[in-house]
């Protein structure tokens, strides 16, 4: 890897490919030191003594049972309707998180850490990350996104010890307690960073963003991140989202990116896509990824399809402990979420293909029933059904609504083992570009013919990351 | 807009800090970017400068500058540069590729890379400037990976995907005929043998490994999918290549030709059963059958009518397949894909047929007979040349002309600049279907034979005589020139005395004995020495007879040339009055020499007795 002398972006050398493929190959594992620092923070907040030599398993066992029970109760109930809606129907995040910051830290920080890796990889593969990044993290919470970015850069710093990396965060949240937790956690984690990675918190701003005027940050940023900030749980944010995110444009460098990450719940997906569509259709931003048009650049978005990306991870020790003590949540090895990377320079992860001579667009598939065709598309969503997976595709030629999942183009379920035997090394992940050659179109549906794709022995599969 | 400028050298940029594009260089620029005014009006955001003579040096980025242009020239003044961490060579390579992709470099329309290039898209410019690895990160299944590597002709890469190949039986793909076919095909390519590398350590073993793996893998493909024509044809191709490698001069000898011939015929015939219209299979069977004739000839101990009949039948079959390949190809519609896919086999079938009909004649023997009889005041009658030979020569002429036309899209004609044609042909590997030297040589030889036929019919015997002579001389000289051109480039260093030999015959026929002598004076091969001897005899000087005698006597021990040498020596002895030597020589002729020599001696003896 090298740094471009003009724009300071990190440029891949061809041999670096393996490192980035490893982001997909194995499930992510939350480093034990992060879990330990989370627990140390909890111990500190509870004013309990701590033995610095204890490992995570020993530490967690020393937590008082009433506290464990509270955490489990908080996690199970925090975003349930009756707890989160107040009489005026408006969420008050101060009330929502009241007394629950530590519970949120223990459960929601780990699950959110690796979500940001996917957009970071999207930026990285097209050389859009820099060695030195100034990041504005809006709705920091306990610091999940910042920790995720630190971990990503740690991986790079260790792989490329001859390069220096600098991360400078401006944290913004309406909850002072969260900001305190985030600052302490980030500062304590810097001790685990390699010497060629410098992490600092430039500023932490405690402010509720009720309107665009509330955004007043100095300077421009390479990256602006928002994780679970526009969720309908954070009702005010959601209502003002378009205005808030639009206003951030002035704080974004001309080659900077806005990363929005939301959870994989259907209602959130609808809200998130509506906000995205408005932002793009009003000409504020363009979508860098995912959802690029395959055959022509997508200038307008009206699609609100329900899809999600998954991040595979190993269940952390804290989760295992909580589950052993009665927590019902937290058993998933795949974490579903939605994301969008917005930019203002018109750049996209996948550029529109010039030559479609040998391919069929998804909207035209029904004319090719029982024929073998070539298809190029973005993986819209992947559904894991044990030994099999189902994959849905989008090439930008069809607009779907939130409930139109069955009208989308799906690949018939295929054995995971069969894919491995065919030589695919990595699990199929949504939001990547897939090329299928010699795939058969079959008719599905009783009253309306919906084309589906069937993989055959001679089908060639290629996925671009 | 973005500009990429080609300076010759770094020092020139630093000294002049300006670049002027004018005259023919500006014309090239205008050809590539006819709408340059519109494009430049949009403004230049960035400019890269690279150095075509110093490809290892870093390229520069111009930070500030100004640009002036009109209809005759374009001038750029640079005020400030920054060195990039990308070499000029990298920029040049990426830029060329980009030019081809975008279509503003087009060799067909003679639009080459201009010294100044305009890049419209920022992403494109960044890809060039940053020299980013081509393509993003990909994960592909085996088939897609094989296809991609196949497009790059990366046969080793294809094999490496499944190394160690000896354990391929234990892998899942052992049951996947599509993937196995790709691997088998790559092994077949890896097994291809280059005789120039024969002496390299481990070379033969390496080739054998891939050969054996290829056959094992492709056989498995045929087991799994026995009705797949491509699999069967690929296996047939490997055995066919084995036959060619084992029979080519100075080729490998680590195999059993007879066995390989039978296997090649078996698998190619199976391919024909699955696809009776396979041009490739017909062509390959034709070639292998021809090789089988040669092999059979060498193995014959007792010549008999049955042997001749068997050879004739094999030849008939070989020609039948080659002619079928030609016929099938000519039936394909002009724009069908099969036309392009089978062009190589078509051209080679035509060439093989021309060669077959040319060699089927015994013109070489007739040439000797004609001149020797003339020297000895014997009578050579045109009737002696059979009608069959004339028909064969006409067929050879028809095939070789068609072959040339198909390869170069123009009728053969002596006015063509063949050296230029060869250098163009050389650049386009797609066209490398046949050696241009072989083609010109064969054309020259066929026309030389035709010319000879006209010569022996008497001076000015036909209007064709001059044309044939002119063509024979031109094509043979062109073959020699192209061979010399390749040798100077280090491309092909093969012995070309066989061309000189026939060029010498051309000079003999045109009465230019000095040139004939010059052409083959230093030759080492027996058959060329025999031609040299006949040139010396034609001088009709005692000193030359003595020299010819000295050259020929050692050839009596040379298996390939002894009969011809014996006949020539007999003539010299007669001409120089060395009767004793003559008698001794012809007394042993029946035991040691071939039918032609025996017949010729018998003829001159009978003519002497008549007198």
């Amino acid at each position: 890897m090298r740094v471009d002398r003009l724009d300071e972006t990190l440029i891949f050398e061809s041999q670096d490919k393996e490192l980035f493929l490893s982001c997909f190959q194995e499930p992510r594992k939350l480093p034990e030191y992060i879990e330990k620092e989370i627990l140390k923070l909890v111990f500190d907040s509870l004013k309990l003594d701590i033995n610095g030599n204890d490992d995570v398993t020993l530490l967690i066992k020393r937590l008082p049972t009433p506290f464990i029970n509270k955490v489990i109760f908080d996690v199970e109930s925090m975003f349930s309707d009756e707890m989160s809606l107040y009489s005026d129907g408006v969420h008050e995040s101060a009330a929502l998180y009241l007394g629950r910051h530590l519970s949120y830290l223990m459960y929601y920080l780990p699950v959110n850490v690796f979500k940001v890796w996917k957009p970071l990889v999207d930026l990285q593969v097209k050389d859009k990350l820099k060695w030195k990044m100034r990041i504005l993290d809006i709705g920091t919470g306990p610091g999940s996104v910042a920790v995720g970015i630190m971990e990503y850069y740690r991986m790079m710093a260790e792989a490329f010890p001859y390069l220096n990396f600098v991360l400078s965060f401006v944290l913004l949240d309406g909850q002072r307690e969260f900001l305190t937790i985030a600052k302490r956690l980030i500062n304590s984690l810097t001790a685990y960073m390699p010497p060629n990675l410098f992490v600092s918190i430039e500023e932490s701003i405690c402010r509720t963003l009720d309107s665009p005027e509330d955004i007043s940050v100095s300077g421009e940023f390479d990256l602006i991140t928002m994780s679970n900030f526009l969720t309908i749980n954070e009702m005010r944010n959601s209502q003002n989202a378009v205005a808030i995110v639009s206003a951030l444009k002035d704080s974004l460098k001309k080659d900077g990116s806005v990363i929005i990450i939301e959870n994989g719940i259907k209602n959130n997906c609808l809200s998130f896509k509506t906000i995205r569509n408005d932002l793009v259709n009003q000409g504020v931003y363009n979508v860098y990824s995912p959802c690029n048009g395959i055959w022509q650049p997508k200038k307008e978005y009206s699609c609100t399809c329900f899809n999600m990306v998954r991040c595979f991870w190993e269940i952390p020790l804290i989760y295992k402990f909580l589950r052993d003590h009665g927590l019902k949540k937290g058993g998933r090895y795949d974490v579903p979420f939605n994301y969008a990377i917005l930019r203002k320079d018109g750049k996209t992860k996948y550029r529109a293909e010039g030559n479609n001579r040998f391919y069929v667009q998804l909207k035209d598939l029904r004319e090719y029933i029982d024929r073998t065709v070539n298809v190029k598309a973005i993986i819209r969503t992947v559904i894991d059904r044990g030994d099999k997976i189902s994959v849905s595709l989008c090439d930008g030629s069809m607009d779907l609504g939130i409930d139109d999942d069955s009208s989308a183009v799906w690949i018939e379920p295929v054995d995971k083992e069969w894919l491995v035997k065919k030589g695919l090394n990595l699990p199929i992940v949504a939001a990547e570009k897939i090329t299928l050659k010699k795939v058969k179109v079959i008719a599905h549906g009783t009253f309306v013919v919906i084309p589906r794709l069937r993989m055959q022995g001679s089908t060639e599969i290629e996925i671009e990351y | 807009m973005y500009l990429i400028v080609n300076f010759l050298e770094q020092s020139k940029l630093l000294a002049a800090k300006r670049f002027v594009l004018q005259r023919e260089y500006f014309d090239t620029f205008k050809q590539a970017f006819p709408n340059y005014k519109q494009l430049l009006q949009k403004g230049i955001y960035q400019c890269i400068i690279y150095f075509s003579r110093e490809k290892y040096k870093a390229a520069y980025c111009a930070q500030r500058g100004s640009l002036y242009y009109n209809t005759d020239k374009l001038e750029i003044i640079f005020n400030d540069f920054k060195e990039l961490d990308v070499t000029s060579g990298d920029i040049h390579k990426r830029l060329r590729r980009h030019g081809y992709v975008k279509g503003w470099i087009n060799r067909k329309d003679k639009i080459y890379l201009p010294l100044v290039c305009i890049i419209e898209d920022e992403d494109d410019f960044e890809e060039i400037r940053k020299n980013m690895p081509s393509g993003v990160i990909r994960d592909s299944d085996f088939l897609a990976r094989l296809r991609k590597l196949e497009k790059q002709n990366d046969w080793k890469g294809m094999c490496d995907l499944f190394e160690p190949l000896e354990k391929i039986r234990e892998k899942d793909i052992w049951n996947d005929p599509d993937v196995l076919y790709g691997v088998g095909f790559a092994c077949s390519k890896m097994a291809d043998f280059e005789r120039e590398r024969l002496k390299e350590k481990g070379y033969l073993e390496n080739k054998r490994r891939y050969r054996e793996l290829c056959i094992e893998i492709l056989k498995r493909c045929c087991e799994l999918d026995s009705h797949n024509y491509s699999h069967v044809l690929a296996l047939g191709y490997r055995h066919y290549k084995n036959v060619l490698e084992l029979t080519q001069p100075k080729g490998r000898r680590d195999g059993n030709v007879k066995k390989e011939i039978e296997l090649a015929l078996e698998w190619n015939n199976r391919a024909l059963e699955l696809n009776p219209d396979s041009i490739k299979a017909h062509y390959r069977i034709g070639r292998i059958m021809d090789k089988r004739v040669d092999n059979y000839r060498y193995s014959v101990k007792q010549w008999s009518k049955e042997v001749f009949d068997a050879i004739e039948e094999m030849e008939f079959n070989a020609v039948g397949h080659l002619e079928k390949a030609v016929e099938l190809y000519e039936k394909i519609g002009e724009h069908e894909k099969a036309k392009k896919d089978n062009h190589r086999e078509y051209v080679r079938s035509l060439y093989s047929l021309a060669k077959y009909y040319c060699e089927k004649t015994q013109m070489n023997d007739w040439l000797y007979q004609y001149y020797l009889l003339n020297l000895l005041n014997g009578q050579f009658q045109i009737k002696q040349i059979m009608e069959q030979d004339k028909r064969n020569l006409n067929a050879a002429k028809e095939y070789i002309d068609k072959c040339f036309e198909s390869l170069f899209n123009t009728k053969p004609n002596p006015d063509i600049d063949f050296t230029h044609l060869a250098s163009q042909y050389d650049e386009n590997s797609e066209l490398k279907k046949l050696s241009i030297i072989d083609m010109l040589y064969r054309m020259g030889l066929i026309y030389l034979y035709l010319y000879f036929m006209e010569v022996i019919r008497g001076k000015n015997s036909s209007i064709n005589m001059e044309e044939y002579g002119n063509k024979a001389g031109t094509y043979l000289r062109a073959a020699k020139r192209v061979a010399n051109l390749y040798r100077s480039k280090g491309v092909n260093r093969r012995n070309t005395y066989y061309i000189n030999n026939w060029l010498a015959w051309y000079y003999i026929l045109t009465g230019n004995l000095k040139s004939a002598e010059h052409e083959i004076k230093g030759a080492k091969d027996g058959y060329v020495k025999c031609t040299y001897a006949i040139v010396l005899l034609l001088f009709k000087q005692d000193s030359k007879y003595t020299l010819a005698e000295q050259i020929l006597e050692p050839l009596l021990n040379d298996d390939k040339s002894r009969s011809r040498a014996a006949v020539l020596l007999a003539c010299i002895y007669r001409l120089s009055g060395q009767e004793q030597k003559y008698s001794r020589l012809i007394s042993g002729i029946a035991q040691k020499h071939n039918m032609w020599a025996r017949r010729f001696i018998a003829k001159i003896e009978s003519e002497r007795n008549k007198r």
Side-chain angles (χ1 to χ4, degrees):
Chain A
M1 184 178 283
R2 62 191 162 87
V3 176
D4 184 70
R5 288 192 190 168
L6 292 185
D7 63 13
E8 304 198 320
T9 51
L10 294 163
I11 301 175
F12 265 159
E13 309 277 58
S14 50
Q15 64 271 23
D16 301 334
K17 189 177 154 184
E18 295 306 315
L19 173 80
F20 292 92
L21 286 181
S22 72
C23 295
F24 298 94
Q25 196 132 34
E26 298 295 329
R28 301 260 58 84
K29 188 175 186 302
L30 193 70
E32 208 173 309
Y33 61 77
I34 295 183
E35 294 200 67
K36 195 169 173 178
E37 289 304 322
I38 291 171
L39 291 173
K40 276 163 81 175
L41 233 151
V42 171
F43 271 80
D44 213 31
S45 302
L46 297 176
K47 298 194 170 35
L48 296 170
D49 289 336
I50 186 166
N51 181 353
N53 295 327
D54 285 352
D55 63 13
V56 174
T57 324
L58 278 175
L59 274 177
I60 201 164
K61 280 180 184 164
R62 290 183 51 218
L63 281 170
T65 310
F67 176 75
I68 299 291
N69 291 338
K70 181 184 175 334
V71 170
I72 293 170
F73 176 77
D74 286 347
V75 170
E76 300 283 9
S77 61
M78 198 178 291
F79 297 113
S80 65
D81 287 346
E82 59 278 17
M83 291 296 294
S84 58
L85 285 175
Y86 283 72
S87 54
D88 60 354
V90 175
H91 285 253
E92 287 294 343
S93 45
L96 178 68
Y97 298 115
L98 187 67
R100 293 179 176 140
H101 297 97
L102 291 181
S103 305
Y104 193 92
L105 166 71
M106 282 183 70
Y107 184 82
Y108 285 103
L109 183 130
V111 79
N112 285 319
V113 163
F114 293 114
K115 287 179 182 173
V116 76
W117 279 42
K118 178 72 186 74
L120 289 179
V121 169
D122 280 3
L123 290 168
Q124 176 94 68
V125 292
K126 284 287 182 176
D127 301 297
K128 298 284 179 280
L129 285 189
K130 295 178 181 172
W131 68 279
K132 187 178 181 182
M133 299 279 274
R134 188 165 184 253
I135 302 153
L136 170 63
D137 183 29
I138 295 179
T140 299
S144 331
V145 172
V147 172
I149 296 172
M150 280 168 74
E151 275 301 298
Y152 188 84
Y153 268 74
R154 183 181 66 82
M155 176 186 73
M156 281 204 284
E158 283 172 355
F160 308 105
Y162 51 88
L163 292 177
N164 284 329
F165 300 90
V166 177
L167 296 174
S168 166
F169 289 101
V170 172
L171 309 177
L172 193 152
D173 202 290
Q175 303 275 307
R176 189 164 300 283
E177 293 85 345
F178 271 146
L179 278 178
T180 310
I181 290 172
K183 277 195 286 182
R184 286 182 59 186
L185 186 65
I186 291 166
N187 285 332
S188 62
L189 288 176
T190 52
Y192 300 91
M193 298 296 123
N196 57 332
L197 170 59
F198 308 94
V199 181
S200 65
I201 299 171
E202 192 183 306
E203 195 183 356
S204 67
I205 305 166
C206 182
R207 191 181 300 150
T208 309
L209 293 186
D210 288 332
S211 69
E213 290 75 41
D214 295 330
I215 303 167
S216 69
V217 281
S218 59
E220 291 180 333
F221 295 87
D222 297 295
L223 199 60
I224 298 176
T225 55
M226 283 176 251
S227 174
N228 296 324
F229 177 74
L230 306 176
T231 167
I232 49 173
N233 291 322
E234 306 269 357
M235 190 64 90
R236 278 200 185 141
N237 297 345
S238 178
Q239 283 168 344
N240 299 323
V242 176
I244 292 171
V245 184
S246 298
L248 287 169
K249 190 178 179 183
D250 295 336
S251 303
L252 188 69
K253 284 187 184 171
K254 70 174 178 14
D255 58 351
S257 307
V258 177
I259 296 176
I260 305 173
I261 297 169
E262 289 299 327
N263 64 37
I265 295 165
K266 195 173 181 179
N267 283 351
N268 264 336
C269 181
L270 176 62
S271 151
F272 163 76
K273 293 235 166 123
T274 310
I275 295 166
R276 177 201 68 180
N277 295 353
D278 286 349
L279 286 167
V280 176
N281 297 344
Q282 286 171 20
V284 185
Y285 295 104
N286 66 281
V287 174
Y288 171 81
S289 84
C291 304
N292 295 141
I294 293 287
W295 303 114
Q296 48 204 7
K298 224 166 149 58
K299 303 279 184 203
E300 292 218 340
Y301 285 75
S302 53
C303 175
T304 51
C305 77
F306 175 47
N307 71 328
M308 61 188 83
V309 184
R310 280 164 220 275
C311 156
F312 295 87
W313 75 330
E314 283 183 21
I315 308 288
L317 295 169
I318 296 177
Y319 275 41
K320 283 180 185 162
F321 180 82
L322 293 174
R323 283 176 61 78
D324 288 346
H325 286 75
L327 180 72
K328 292 191 184 73
K329 282 182 163 182
R332 291 183 75 154
Y333 289 87
D334 58 327
V335 183
F337 65 101
N338 260 304
Y339 77 97
I341 304 175
L342 306 174
R343 285 173 73 99
K344 55 183 187 182
D345 59 2
K347 299 213 169 156
T348 52
K349 181 181 173 193
Y350 300 117
R351 292 169 72 183
E353 301 269 339
N355 185 1
N356 61 359
R357 224 174 108 202
F358 303 107
Y359 292 88
V360 173
Q361 293 194 29
L362 298 186
K363 69 177 167 62
D364 300 329
L365 274 183
R366 68 183 70 234
E367 293 162 29
Y368 291 83
I369 301 291
D370 291 331
R371 285 165 67 181
T372 298
V373 298
N374 298 336
V375 161
K376 213 172 252 207
I378 304 284
I379 300 171
R380 206 174 64 81
T381 200
V382 180
I383 296 180
D384 196 320
R385 301 178 194 277
D387 295 340
K388 291 179 184 287
I389 55 164
S390 296
V391 178
S392 174
L393 306 177
C394 174
D395 64 358
S397 66
M398 301 163 77
D399 282 333
L400 299 174
I402 192 78
D403 294 316
D404 293 343
D405 220 30
S406 55
S407 310
V409 173
W410 286 83
I411 300 172
E412 281 197 328
V414 279
D415 281 341
K416 285 183 195 167
E417 204 185 339
W418 182 77
L419 292 172
V420 174
K421 279 184 186 169
K422 272 187 82 70
L424 277 180
N425 291 318
L426 308 173
I428 295 182
V429 183
E432 308 303 357
K433 184 154 124 186
I434 188 167
T435 304
L436 295 167
K437 287 184 183 163
K438 296 180 202 154
V439 66
K440 192 165 184 187
V441 187
I442 54 159
H444 178 77
T446 316
F447 299 107
V448 184
V449 173
I450 298 164
R452 287 221 164 153
L453 299 172
R454 180 177 290 165
M455 302 251 209
Q456 311 172 103
S458 57
T459 301
E460 293 171 35
I461 311 163
E462 183 174 87
I463 298 166
E464 277 182 33
Y465 291 94
Chain B
M1 290 302 109
Y2 300 84
L3 285 187
I4 300 187
V5 181
N6 174 0
F7 254 76
L8 284 181
E9 290 159 16
Q10 188 200 51
S11 56
K12 290 193 173 161
L13 166 73
L14 298 175
K17 293 189 178 177
R18 77 192 262 275
F19 183 87
V20 181
L21 189 71
Q22 53 192 349
R23 295 189 299 273
E24 69 268 28
Y25 302 108
F26 193 62
D27 293 337
T28 313
F29 170 75
K30 284 196 285 191
Q31 257 189 313
F33 305 101
N35 57 339
Y36 72 98
K37 283 185 187 168
Q38 272 173 290
L39 293 173
L40 294 175
Q41 266 167 13
K42 291 180 185 170
I44 305 299
Y45 304 127
Q46 246 178 31
C47 174
I48 298 290
I49 303 142
Y50 71 99
F51 312 103
S52 53
R53 275 197 198 154
E54 297 166 328
K55 292 192 172 161
Y56 55 92
K57 283 200 174 165
Y60 279 66
C61 175
Q63 303 285 77
R64 286 179 296 125
S66 34
L67 177 83
Y68 310 96
Y69 58 89
N70 55 30
T71 46
D72 301 321
K73 72 172 184 178
L74 181 142
E75 187 177 354
I76 311 167
I77 295 168
F78 306 103
N79 293 330
D80 198 6
F81 322 107
K82 189 168 185 178
E83 199 179 290
L84 297 173
D85 50 0
V86 181
T87 65
S88 292
D90 287 335
I91 296 282
H92 179 244
K93 213 160 81 183
R94 297 299 294 245
L95 184 62
R96 265 177 71 93
R97 193 190 303 163
H98 178 76
Y100 276 112
V101 171
K102 292 286 170 187
W104 47 257
I105 303 181
N106 186 338
R107 198 170 280 278
K108 204 173 149 195
D109 297 338
K110 298 192 173 168
I111 307 176
Y112 303 106
L113 181 70
L115 295 181
V116 175
C117 298
I118 303 173
I119 311 292
E120 295 181 57
D121 189 276
E122 189 186 349
D123 281 332
D124 290 335
F125 178 73
E126 284 209 342
E127 272 181 26
I128 298 167
R129 181 178 76 70
K130 294 182 177 179
N131 188 32
M132 281 146 62
S134 53
V136 284
I137 296 168
R138 288 186 170 91
D139 185 24
S140 326
D141 69 356
F142 291 133
L143 268 181
R145 269 182 268 172
L146 286 170
R147 283 293 172 270
K148 185 154 286 172
L149 292 166
E150 189 184 335
K151 273 186 193 163
Q152 298 160 357
N153 292 348
D154 186 356
W155 317 118
K156 173 92 169 53
M158 288 169 79
C159 293
D160 285 351
L161 283 177
F162 305 98
E163 288 286 7
L165 286 168
E166 284 74 9
K167 290 191 176 173
I168 199 163
R169 282 170 173 273
E170 298 162 24
K171 295 178 182 167
D172 289 329
I173 61 155
W174 189 245
N175 295 318
D176 186 335
D178 295 313
V179 174
L180 276 183
Y181 172 68
V183 188
F185 184 78
C187 284
S188 184
K189 290 283 183 188
M190 286 299 289
D192 278 352
F193 166 84
E194 294 165 68
R195 59 183 167 186
E196 294 79 15
R197 299 179 61 189
L198 182 64
K199 287 179 184 162
E200 281 178 29
K201 201 178 168 192
Y203 183 73
L204 270 182
E205 287 71 26
N206 187 35
K207 294 289 158 190
R208 186 186 300 125
R209 174 182 180 252
Y210 282 114
R211 209 162 51 233
E212 288 169 359
L213 284 165
C214 160
I215 290 171
E216 183 191 1
I217 291 168
L218 289 176
K219 269 189 182 166
R220 174 68 178 164
C221 286
C222 297
E223 272 172 27
L224 293 170
D225 192 357
S226 58
H227 294 292
N228 190 315
Y229 155 72
S230 306
H231 299 172
V232 176
L233 187 74
L235 188 52
Y237 175 74
R238 185 63 256 161
H239 288 297
Y240 158 76
K241 282 291 282 185
N242 287 350
V243 174
L244 297 191
E245 288 167 3
L246 288 167
T247 53
Q248 73 179 145
K250 295 180 185 170
R252 65 180 175 87
R253 297 290 177 261
D254 59 345
N256 183 334
V257 183
K258 204 176 166 190
K259 193 176 144 199
E260 287 296 340
I261 286 175
E262 296 316 315
L263 285 167
L265 286 175
E266 180 191 332
W267 285 102
N268 279 292
N269 275 317
R270 276 204 212 179
L272 268 193
E273 281 168 24
L274 294 168
N275 177 7
D277 290 344
S278 166
I279 294 169
K280 289 183 196 296
H282 276 299
Y283 163 71
R284 286 170 196 163
I285 292 173
R287 287 289 309 274
I288 300 159
M289 283 188 158
D290 192 32
K291 294 281 174 192
R292 187 155 80 166
V293 173
D294 291 345
N295 202 47
Y296 183 67
R297 274 204 188 109
Y298 285 122
S299 64
V300 170
K301 289 189 180 112
Q302 197 73 45
W303 287 82
S304 61
K305 187 180 178 299
E306 286 73 30
V307 171
F308 282 109
D309 287 347
I311 289 176
E312 199 157 309
E313 196 188 331
M314 281 190 255
E315 283 180 342
F316 180 77
N317 281 334
V319 169
H321 280 285
L322 292 170
E323 285 177 340
K324 185 74 183 170
V326 171
E327 183 197 324
L328 286 167
Y329 183 86
E330 288 175 351
K331 278 184 190 164
I332 301 172
E334 205 48 54
H335 300 292
E336 285 180 43
K337 188 172 171 284
K339 198 94 184 172
K340 195 181 167 199
D341 291 349
N342 292 293
H343 189 236
R344 184 191 179 95
E345 282 69 26
Y346 172 64
V347 167
R348 287 187 172 201
S349 295
L350 289 170
Y351 178 79
S352 300
L353 285 164
K355 188 174 173 219
Y356 168 78
Y357 283 115
C358 176
E359 287 177 356
K360 187 88 180 141
T361 64
Q362 288 160 355
M363 300 307 273
N364 198 2
D365 291 343
W366 296 128
L367 273 164
Y368 273 96
Q369 209 154 317
Y370 173 73
Y371 279 101
L372 292 178
L373 284 172
N374 267 348
L375 280 166
L376 297 170
N377 298 321
Q379 278 197 334
F380 181 84
Q381 290 171 344
I382 181 69
K383 282 178 191 166
Q384 283 178 296
I385 296 184
M386 288 184 292
E387 275 306 307
Q388 185 62 36
D389 277 357
K390 290 177 195 165
R391 278 200 296 275
N392 285 339
L393 267 185
N394 282 327
K397 176 175 159 290
E398 200 178 307
Y399 281 122
I400 202 75
D401 284 355
K402 212 190 252 188
C403 177
F404 186 95
E405 195 177 343
S406 180
L407 205 52
F408 298 107
N409 288 324
T410 177
K411 283 189 188 299
N413 121 45
D415 298 332
I416 292 172
D417 180 351
F418 290 103
T419 323
H420 177 68
L421 193 72
S423 54
Q424 275 189 329
Y425 182 75
D426 205 31
E427 277 178 16
N428 192 345
S429 58
E430 176 63 20
L431 283 173
K432 275 195 171 175
K433 289 161 182 162
L434 197 66
S435 154
I436 190 165
I437 304 173
D438 287 349
M439 161 77 96
L440 290 168
Y441 162 71
R442 186 60 57 185
M443 283 164 63
L445 189 56
I446 292 167
Y447 280 101
L448 185 78
Y449 285 173
L450 288 164
Y451 179 47
F452 171 59
M453 283 183 46
E454 297 301 323
V455 169
I456 54 177
R457 282 165 69 180
K459 277 194 176 171
N460 301 324
S461 64
S462 84
I463 48 163
N464 291 333
M465 185 165 157
E466 196 184 328
E467 181 202 330
Y468 292 159
N470 180 23
K471 283 185 174 176
T474 308
Y475 296 146
L476 287 169
R477 276 192 294 263
K480 201 176 142 187
R481 248 193 337 270
V482 174
N484 288 340
L485 176 80
Y486 283 168
R487 192 176 296 123
S488 69
K489 285 184 181 174
V491 184
N492 188 338
R493 294 181 182 278
R494 76 181 186 194
N495 179 346
T496 50
Y497 261 112
Y498 65 100
I499 305 173
N500 297 46
N501 180 54
W502 287 107
L503 206 45
W505 274 112
Y506 166 74
Y507 289 127
I508 293 171
L509 281 164
T510 51
N512 188 351
L513 292 178
K514 284 269 177 210
S515 295
E517 188 186 14
H518 176 74
E519 224 30 82
I520 48 176
K521 207 171 180 181
K524 287 177 185 161
D525 294 316
Y527 71 99
V528 193
K529 281 182 178 175
C530 289
T531 313
Y532 184 41
I534 212 162
V535 175
L536 292 172
L537 286 179
L538 289 169
F539 274 105
K540 296 182 183 170
Q541 292 168 9
D542 286 344
S543 61
K544 302 270 186 190
Y545 290 160
T546 314
L547 182 58
E549 200 178 328
Q550 284 167 3
I551 290 166
L552 290 168
E553 271 171 355
L555 292 181
L556 289 174
N557 299 319
D558 176 10
D559 282 349
K560 287 180 185 165
S561 313
R562 70 167 168 239
S563 295
R564 191 86 76 201
V567 168
L568 284 162
L569 273 171
C571 293
I572 293 170
Y573 295 152
R574 282 273 308 273
L575 289 167
S576 57
Q578 300 181 67
E579 286 299 329
Q580 268 190 341
K581 280 189 177 178
Y582 175 76
S583 306
R584 210 178 314 135
L585 184 75
I586 63 163
S587 65
I589 215 119
Q591 288 82 41
K592 293 180 189 167
H593 300 289
N594 67 16
M595 185 68 81
W596 174 78
R598 294 207 295 268
R599 278 189 188 157
F600 184 79
I601 295 293
K603 184 174 174 60
I604 54 175
E605 273 297 283
S606 76
E607 286 203 6
R608 190 157 84 149
N609 292 338
K610 270 186 217 165
R611 273 188 231 123

